[in-house]
Amino acid sequence: MAQLVDGAGKLGWVLLKSVLRFVFMFFNNCVAIPSYCLYLLLLQPLRIWDSSTFWHIEGVMFKWLLAMVSSWGWIAGYTVTEWGDDVRPISEEEAMVIVNHQSTGDVCTLMMCLQDKGTVVRKMMWLMDHVFKYTNFGLVSLIHGDFFIRQGKAHRDKQLIYLKDHLDKYYHSRDRKWIVLFPEGGFLRKRRETSQLFAKKNSLPHLTHVTLPRLGATHVILKTLCAPLENGSVGSDAGTSNQTGNKRRGLQWVIDMTIAYPKAKPMDIQTWIFGYRPPTVTHVHYRMYPIKEVPLEAEALTDWLYQRFVEKEELLTHFYDKGSFPPPEGQKQAVSRLMTLDPVWLCLVQSFAFASGYIWFNVLQYFYCCLF
């Protein structure tokens, strides 16, 4: 009987905590997202007069919004430990980031672990499923200039044309530096069986923890944002010019990020919102490749991309067996780094959001009363 009462008490506490977290996040969205939109609406004259300053301010506010999402997991004890290469020294250089995709929580994990990487978050562009456009954060991503891609063979060719046009129009003009995509094209649980059947049919590696990536978006990004060399690889010496005439070096790196969850149990967005899972450490492994090592020709790029996901499979197999990622070549032990967020900074960002919401509510109420 005592155990039953104790269990009921714990369940009640979890439910109460989940309700309180949901209420807080609901109001957090209600004040932060409209405030972001209204601030940018107010700054439209600045966009015409000095677009670079406008997009700088927009990027700062975008980073604050992502920090709010990160804080939801942070206060629940959901943290990130990083392995492999340290990407902070290249945070000001242009890079394409490829990530394995297991659940909706992957995006939240990226929002958190990239917060301490300089200007990366405010200067990054996301490629995400078109369904995300219709979520509460979809309007923010639409304003920021992220690309919503529609999956399926019927849309594939048109979507790649739209992607190239989108990159030409927005990537340089808004001073983007990092572009993030999930080459698998969907969640692991949804694509694994199809991927394994395709691999068996075409004598490709059998993968369990990841799926075979799709080439399309990766190929378009490289062809659009890099200068091709005669040997079929991509380079950066030639550089590219943005709409204002400033010289850019183009993509300098491909960053291969591998996300691993304890016991191979992915964390989804519902967990971040309600916080019903005990404190959890998500592990992220980085591996950097200079862009000159990446082939541009479609067949060679396909082989190169497949090899990256075979390596991801090996990394994840080692992690699930040993509890850590393998050490880099030539080293005896892998070194991890605990990614931390400043709680004072998170409190200031949240306070600014709620203060902004209060101010805008009063401003709109005043104009409503004047008109009606």
Side-chain angles (χ1 to χ4, degrees), residues 100 102 188 209 259-266 313-325:
N100 61 313
Q102 302 175 68
L188 173 64
H209 304 304
I259 299 176
Y261 297 97
K263 299 180 181 179
K265 295 181 179 179
E313 177 78 12
E314 295 170 353
L315 287 171
L316 290 169
T317 299
H318 189 282
F319 179 84
Y320 295 138
D321 288 344
K322 308 293 184 180
S324 64
F325 285 110

Side-chain angles (χ1 to χ4, degrees), residues 338-355:
L338 179 63
M339 186 268 160
T340 59
L341 294 174
D342 184 353
V344 176
W345 177 66
L346 292 178
C347 287
L348 289 174
V349 170
Q350 291 285 9
S351 298
F352 178 77
F354 282 99

Side-chain angles (χ1 to χ4, degrees), residues 36-55 57-58 61 143-144 174 360:
Y36 166 88
C37 297
L38 290 168
Y39 277 128
L40 294 182
L41 183 63
L42 185 67
L43 291 172
Q44 285 305 303
L46 177 63
R47 182 179 180 181
I48 299 172
W49 179 53
D50 187 353
S51 63
S52 62
T53 300
F54 173 86
W55 289 113
I57 295 172
E58 184 279 332
M61 290 194 293
I143 295 171
H144 183 69
R174 299 186 181 184
W360 279 113

Side-chain angles (χ1 to χ4, degrees), residues 3 9 21 28 40-41 58 121 142 171 191 224 258 281 289:
Q3 291 181 345
R21 284 175 58 88
N28 199 182
L40 294 182
L41 183 63
E58 184 279 332
V121 173
L142 194 65
Y171 188 81
R191 292 207 62 242
T224 306
T258 303
V281 179
Y289 296 91

